[in-house]
């Protein structure tokens, strides 16, 4: 029996006899005789044998039965028709067939751990024994994790178990540090023969042992290191091999809940299963298992999937609260960039799928993932349509001021301009904290009329206007003009939204600049939160021109479950639009980009994508810092935006989570119209273009959005600040 006692570093004492019994779950004397000649490879202490009331036995093989979970009970059906269906009561823990035992509790136990903790536990079986875990042994260790045992303690206990069977594991108490490292490389990384570790690799890890690192901790460290090579051209196969072993172990022990009936089989056959896994396939290992489809816990697990929560496709459009929450968990487990770091929380604690989604997001790494109603988002990205007055507002001290106005909108008709102050709405003052009624009046979600008192910039008195909200169509290119400055032609363009309807006006503006043969371009992205990545790609090509043709714009990196998508999503600079028409090219050596704290995602991809090929001069404020992106995924009329990928440019650069800092730090200037050469950020760009240096100017941080208002202010909605693929396959623009 495995006992824990305090004795310095050796916290664990092992009894080989008890380990032999444990591997069989406390089985018969015949099992013990069969196990007597087999070294104790199952790292689990004695588990109390199930009583007759806990076990249901069947004469056939597991493959010949379907097991369906219905609430707290299971229905077992003989597919060969030899026996009538059997319902297992809630007290049943085990189904015993002629070839396997099925642990009915393993699914619930596994779901109680975070994905990271469960995978780390399974990894230890592979690392120390090069085998997949049996469900009974894994269930025991899950219980120990739940009871507070640390991963470091568990790793040390696995190592001590491995020492009991040197003939099979290769580990011995007298082995050198170098030999220990070689075995880890063999078991964990599959590196033997021509791919065996070199002297430098061995020396590095061996020095860690000499410095006092426990051997169990060493194995954990190498496991972590191995997964850092997922996209490496030389060693990426190592990560794939390790992940495939993890997947087949999950399938065997968790999805199917399997343990063999004898200790000998439980050791030799699980080792054979692990040995059959390659870096490109698990099919041979599945064939050795011989059980396909119909896994236990069907409400959590879909047939043929490798994750314990099932496939999103199998759970999609089950539009009940529980059904939607099951889909949320499956979706995140499949595509989320940080799926391994998700901490499991009980779905029942959350009243809506959206709140459950938010609770699962890894807040330490992710401040961007979100959900929203599908309809409004689809309307916006496809046509730029939204119910509003057509203005964008910002809080500046005690004032609420207009940043810009959409042409032809109710705000434009009321002659609101950049810098106009909204003094009151419906005769209520807007100088202090806003009430819900004021928010609703400022940012209506349906057609309604409200009165406003406004004061224009430099006006001596205020005026009263009435506005009726309506469906406003966004003009993504708000302004394009050619400025003559010191004998040079400088193109200036205000671009606010990477939406489908942006392509045509962008091409028109850039062709205008091309025909005028502009000497420089000032691209104003201060209010551009992003959107479709393909629009950013097209615009970048039009700016840089022939120098970037056939060069990488952005390489997208998905999680390690989707290495195929990472390989497919090397995005080269597009030289044609979505109708396969050649894009105009400015062929400029540099570009000035006006930035703000709201310059985000796809807009930052323009900056990052162009940097390896031309001078990119930023004027304004630090950008938002969002190198991540989404594929909008809809379920039951809700749009889910979980971060699915990160992006790097042709130079491999992409870590700008703190944003891009401007060369010239210049405050936003609401007292001048966009395009006015006296407007502070444009003026700074023009000065730099002429003199090569930043003008002396004071800087004030950007004012915050209206407190509590990002949900209501359409310009501050999270879906206005994203990097978005139309599909997971970026090549399909």
């Amino acid at each position: 029996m495995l006992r824990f006692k305090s004795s310095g570093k050796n916290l664990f004492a092992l009894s080989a006899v008890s380990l032999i019994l444990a591997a069989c779950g406390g089985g018969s004397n015949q099992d013990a005789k069969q196990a007597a000649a087999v070294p104790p490879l199952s790292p689990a202490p004695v588990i109390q044998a199930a009583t007759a009331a806990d076990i249901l036995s069947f004469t056939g093989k597991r493959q010949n039965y379907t097991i369906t979970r219905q609430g707290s009970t299971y229905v077992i059906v003989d597919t060969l028709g030899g026996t009538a269906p059997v319902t297992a009561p809630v007290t049943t823990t085990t189904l015993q067939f002629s070839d396997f035992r099925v642990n009915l509790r393993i699914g619930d136990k596994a779901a109680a751990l975070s994905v990271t903790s469960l995978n780390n536990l399974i990894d230890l079986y592979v690392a120390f024994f090069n085998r997949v875990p049996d469900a009974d042994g894994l269930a025991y260790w899950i219980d120990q994790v739940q009871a507070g045992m640390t991963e470091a303690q568990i790793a040390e206990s696995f190592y001590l178990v491995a020492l009991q069977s040197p003939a099979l594991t290769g580990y011995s108490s007298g082995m050198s540090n170098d030999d220990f490292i070689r075995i880890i490389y063999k078991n964990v990384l599959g590196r033997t023969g021509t791919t065996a570790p070199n002297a430098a690799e061995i020396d590095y890890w061996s020095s860690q042992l000499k410095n006092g690192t426990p051997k169990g901790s060493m194995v954990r460290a190498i496991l972590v290191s191995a997964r850092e090579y997922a996209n490496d051209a030389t060693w990426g196969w190592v990560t794939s091999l390790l992940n495939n072993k993890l997947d087949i172990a999950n399938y065997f022990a968790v999805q199917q809940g399997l343990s063999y009936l004898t200790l000998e089989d439980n050791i030799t056959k699980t080792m054979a299963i692990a040995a059959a896994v390659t870096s490109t396939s698990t099919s041979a290992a599945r064939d050795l298992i011989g059980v396909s489809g119909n896994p236990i816990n069907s409400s959590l697990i879909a047939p043929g999937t490798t994750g314990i929560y099932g496939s999103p496709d199998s759970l999609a459009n089950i539009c009940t609260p529980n059904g939607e929450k099951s889909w949320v968990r499956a979706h995140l487990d499949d595509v989320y960039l940080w799926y391994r770091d998700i901490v499991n929380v009980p779905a029942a604690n959350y009243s809506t799928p959206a709140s459950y989604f938010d609770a699962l997001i890894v807040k330490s790494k992710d401040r961007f993932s979100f959900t929203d109603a599908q309809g409004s988002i689809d309307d916006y990205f496809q046509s730029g349509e939204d119910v509003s007055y057509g203005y964008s507002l910002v809080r500046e001290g005690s004032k609420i001021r207009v940043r810009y106005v959409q042409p032809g909108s109710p705000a434009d008709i009321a002659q609101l301009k950049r810098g106009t102050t909204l003094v009151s709405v419906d005769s209520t003052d807007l100088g202090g904290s806003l009430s819900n009624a004021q928010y609703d009046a400022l940012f209506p979600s349906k057609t309604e009329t409200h009165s406003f008192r406004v004061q224009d910039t430099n006006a001596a008195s205020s005026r009263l206007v009435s506005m009726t909200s309506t469906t406003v169509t966004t003009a993504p290119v708000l302004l394009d003009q050619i400025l003559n400055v010191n004998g040079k032609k400088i193109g200036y363009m205000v671009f606010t939204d990477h939406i489908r309807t942006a392509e045509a006006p962008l091409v028109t503006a850039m062709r205008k600049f091309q025909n005028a043969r502009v000497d420089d371009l000032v691209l104003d992205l201060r209010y551009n939160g992003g959107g479709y990545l393909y629009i950013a790609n097209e615009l970048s090509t039009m700016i840089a021109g022939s120098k970037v043709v056939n060069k990488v714009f952005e390489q997208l990196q998905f999680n390690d479950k989707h290495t195929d998508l990472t390989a497919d999503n090397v995005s080269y600079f597009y030289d044609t639009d979505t109708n396969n028409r050649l894009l105009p090219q400015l062929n400029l050596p540099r570009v000035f980009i006006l930035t703000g704290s709201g310059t985000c995602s796809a807009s930052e991809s323009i900056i990052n994508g162009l940097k390896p090929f031309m001078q990119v001069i930023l004027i304004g404020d630090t950008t938002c810092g969002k190198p991540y992106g989404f594929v909008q995924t809809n379920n039951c009329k809700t749009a889910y935006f979980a971060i699915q990928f990160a992006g790097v440019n042709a130079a491999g650069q992409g870590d700008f989570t703190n944003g891009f800092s401007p060369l010239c730090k210049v405050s936003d200037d609401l007292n001048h119209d966009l395009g006015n050469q006296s407007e502070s950020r444009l003026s700074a760009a023009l000065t730099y273009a002429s003199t090569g240096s930043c003008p002396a100017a004071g800087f004030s941080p950007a004012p915050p959005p209206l407190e509590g208002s990002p949900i209501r202010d359409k310009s501050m909605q999270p879906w206005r600040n994203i990097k978005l693929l139309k599909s997971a396959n970026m090549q399909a623009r």
Side-chain angles (χ1 to χ4, degrees):
M1 179 175 182
L2 191 65
R3 296 185 180 90
F4 308 125
K5 63 181 181 180
S6 177
S7 57
K9 291 184 180 179
N10 294 324
L11 298 176
F12 312 105
L14 302 172
S15 165
V17 174
S18 295
L19 283 167
I20 290 172
L21 292 174
C24 295
S28 65
N29 290 333
Q30 180 62 32
D31 289 341
K33 291 177 181 179
Q34 291 175 325
V38 181
L41 275 184
S42 180
V46 170
I47 302 171
Q48 183 177 353
T51 65
D54 298 327
I55 299 175
L56 280 180
S57 297
F58 300 85
T59 57
K61 293 184 175 181
R62 164 66 184 91
Q63 178 63 16
N64 297 332
Y65 295 82
T66 61
I67 305 171
T68 305
R69 183 172 179 173
Q70 297 182 354
S72 299
T73 63
Y74 294 84
V75 177
I76 302 93
V77 177
D78 182 352
T79 59
L80 300 181
T83 59
V86 175
T87 298
V90 68
T91 55
T92 305
T93 62
T94 305
L95 303 178
Q96 183 151 319
F97 300 90
S98 62
D99 53 352
F100 287 106
R101 282 192 311 277
V102 173
N103 187 316
L104 295 180
R105 296 289 179 264
I106 189 65
D108 290 337
K109 287 179 179 290
L113 286 189
S114 72
V115 174
T116 301
S117 294
L118 178 65
N119 289 344
N120 289 349
L121 194 53
I122 294 173
D123 273 344
L124 292 178
Y125 275 88
V126 174
F128 283 107
F129 311 112
N130 204 17
R131 79 174 183 92
V132 300
D134 56 286
D136 293 340
L138 182 62
Y140 170 82
W141 286 109
I142 291 174
D143 286 344
Q144 302 315 298
V145 174
Q146 292 289 85
M149 194 173 180
T150 68
E151 289 181 6
Q153 289 174 318
I154 292 173
E156 289 305 311
S157 72
F158 271 57
Y159 170 62
L160 293 177
V161 172
L163 293 180
Q164 306 301 306
S165 309
L168 286 179
T169 67
Y171 295 102
S172 67
S173 57
M175 71 192 311
S176 69
N177 286 342
D178 288 2
D179 286 341
F180 177 77
I181 299 300
R182 289 188 182 95
I183 291 179
I184 297 175
Y185 267 78
K186 174 186 174 183
N187 286 357
V188 177
L189 309 181
R191 288 180 55 184
T192 58
T194 59
T195 63
N198 58 38
E201 290 172 309
I202 292 176
D203 287 346
Y204 172 80
W205 292 108
S206 185
S207 67
Q208 306 298 308
L209 293 175
K210 291 176 183 177
N211 290 333
T213 300
K215 287 186 168 67
S217 297
M218 172 67 67
V219 172
R220 293 171 64 234
I222 292 179
L223 284 165
V224 171
S225 178
R227 286 201 165 86
E228 294 177 354
Y229 289 85
N231 301 309
D232 186 86
T234 302
W235 298 113
W237 66 269
V238 172
T239 306
S240 297
L241 176 63
L242 187 58
N243 288 342
N244 282 349
K245 286 185 178 182
L246 178 66
D247 282 349
I248 204 66
N250 216 320
Y251 177 78
F252 181 85
V254 180
Q255 290 188 29
Q256 295 289 357
L258 299 176
S259 297
Y260 288 102
L261 302 184
T262 68
L263 174 60
E264 183 175 3
D265 284 349
N266 235 10
I267 296 171
T268 59
K269 290 187 176 181
T270 55
M271 294 179 77
I273 290 168
V277 176
T278 70
S279 62
T280 58
S281 176
T282 60
S283 59
R286 285 176 181 262
D287 289 343
L288 284 179
I289 295 171
V291 178
S292 60
N294 52 62
I296 64 172
N297 302 311
S298 59
S299 66
L300 296 176
I301 307 167
T305 65
T306 55
I308 66 170
Y309 300 99
S311 73
D313 288 345
S314 69
L315 299 170
N317 299 313
I318 302 174
C319 299
T320 63
N322 287 338
E324 290 182 61
K325 283 188 276 188
S326 294
W327 179 89
V328 163
R329 191 61 183 83
H331 174 61
L332 289 174
D333 185 51
D334 180 36
V335 305
Y336 190 41
L337 188 62
W338 299 290
Y339 76 94
R340 290 183 182 276
D341 299 321
I342 294 174
V343 176
N344 232 19
V345 294
N349 290 359
Y350 300 90
S351 59
T352 66
S355 62
Y356 181 49
F357 174 92
D358 184 66
L360 293 169
I361 294 303
V362 181
K363 300 297 194 303
S364 61
K365 298 180 178 181
D366 180 5
R367 53 193 170 97
F368 300 114
S369 294
F370 66 97
T371 64
D372 213 321
Q374 178 185 342
S376 59
I377 294 175
D378 290 345
D379 289 344
Y380 174 73
F381 280 108
Q382 292 305 305
S383 63
E385 293 183 349
D386 204 6
V387 174
S388 70
Y389 301 118
Y391 55 40
S392 174
L393 304 180
V394 68
R395 169 72 78 178
E396 190 178 78
S398 62
K399 297 180 179 179
I400 296 176
R401 302 185 73 185
V402 175
R403 299 195 302 179
Y404 62 88
V405 171
Q406 291 293 338
S409 66
D412 188 29
I413 294 170
Q415 299 182 28
L416 271 61
K417 306 291 184 184
R418 176 174 170 82
T420 295
T421 299
L422 274 59
V423 178
S424 67
V425 59
D426 297 334
S427 300
T428 63
D429 183 72
L430 295 174
S433 297
L434 303 182
S435 67
N436 285 333
Q438 288 174 320
Y439 280 130
D440 292 339
L442 289 171
F443 307 110
S445 59
K446 62 183 183 301
T447 300
E448 55 192 56
T449 301
H450 295 275
S451 62
F452 298 82
R453 181 160 294 280
V454 302
Q455 185 161 3
D456 301 312
T457 303
N458 299 323
S461 59
S462 62
R463 59 190 175 92
L464 190 64
V465 300
S466 177
M467 291 191 293
T468 301
S469 55
T470 187
T471 299
V472 174
T473 300
T474 295
V477 176
L478 204 59
L479 177 67
D480 65 86
Q481 59 189 38
I482 298 172
L483 307 174
N484 292 294
V485 182
N486 298 326
K488 288 187 176 182
K489 295 179 181 179
I490 299 180
Y492 173 70
M493 181 171 68
V494 181
F495 177 38
T496 61
D497 298 272
H498 288 72
I499 56 179
R500 186 187 64 82
T501 55
E503 184 181 63
L506 283 172
V507 169
T508 298
M510 299 303 278
R511 184 165 285 118
K512 172 181 174 180
F513 297 152
Q514 180 189 47
N515 292 338
R517 297 185 179 181
V518 296
D519 300 291
D520 273 310
L521 173 68
V522 178
L523 176 62
D524 196 337
L525 298 178
R526 75 182 80 183
Y527 303 133
N528 194 316
Y532 283 133
L533 188 57
Y534 79 91
I535 295 290
N537 184 320
E538 290 180 2
L539 177 55
S540 298
T541 302
M542 290 189 280
I543 294 169
S546 58
K547 70 175 73 66
V548 298
V549 173
N550 297 322
K551 302 294 176 59
V552 172
F553 171 64
E554 187 164 5
Q555 163 73 69
L556 304 188
Q557 299 173 333
F558 292 77
N559 72 32
D560 56 21
K561 290 186 177 182
H562 294 288
T563 54
D564 56 330
L565 292 179
T566 297
D568 289 344
N569 281 286
V570 180
S571 175
Y572 294 88
F573 284 86
Y574 298 135
D575 59 356
T576 60
D577 65 11
T578 52
N579 293 309
N580 206 33
R581 295 173 298 202
L582 286 173
L583 295 168
Q585 298 179 357
L586 300 186
N587 289 301
L588 294 172
R590 67 181 183 181
V591 61
F592 294 90
I593 298 181
L594 306 188
T595 60
S597 58
T599 305
C600 209
S601 293
S603 291
E604 291 174 301
S605 286
I606 294 174
I607 297 169
N608 199 50
L610 289 176
K611 273 180 172 288
F613 305 104
M614 63 189 299
Q615 188 180 13
V616 181
I617 303 167
L618 305 185
I619 310 287
D621 201 354
T622 303
T623 65
C624 85
K626 193 173 181 181
Y628 310 114
F630 308 88
V631 179
Q632 178 181 336
T633 309
N634 303 322
N635 189 55
C636 298
K637 299 183 180 180
T638 297
Y640 291 87
F641 292 84
I643 288 177
Q644 295 193 27
F645 58 87
V648 297
N649 63 16
Q653 300 163 332
D655 185 13
F656 49 86
T657 53
N658 292 322
F660 290 108
S661 297
L663 179 64
C664 303
K665 207 159 191 179
V666 182
S667 303
D668 204 2
D669 175 8
L670 297 179
N671 295 320
H672 293 91
D673 289 337
L674 295 173
N676 185 321
Q677 293 186 35
S678 296
E679 190 275 317
S680 60
R681 286 179 178 168
L682 176 56
S683 176
L686 298 178
T687 298
Y688 193 99
S690 298
T691 67
S693 61
C694 299
F699 175 77
S700 298
L706 302 188
E707 63 274 13
S709 68
I711 299 303
R712 293 180 172 87
D713 184 349
K714 302 299 177 64
S715 68
M716 300 300 296
Q717 286 278 12
W719 37 269
R720 296 287 292 269
N721 298 279
I722 63 176
K723 181 190 299 186
L724 184 65
L725 296 187
K726 294 180 73 174
S727 69
N729 183 352
M730 187 176 173
Q731 307 309 319
R733 278 193 289 180

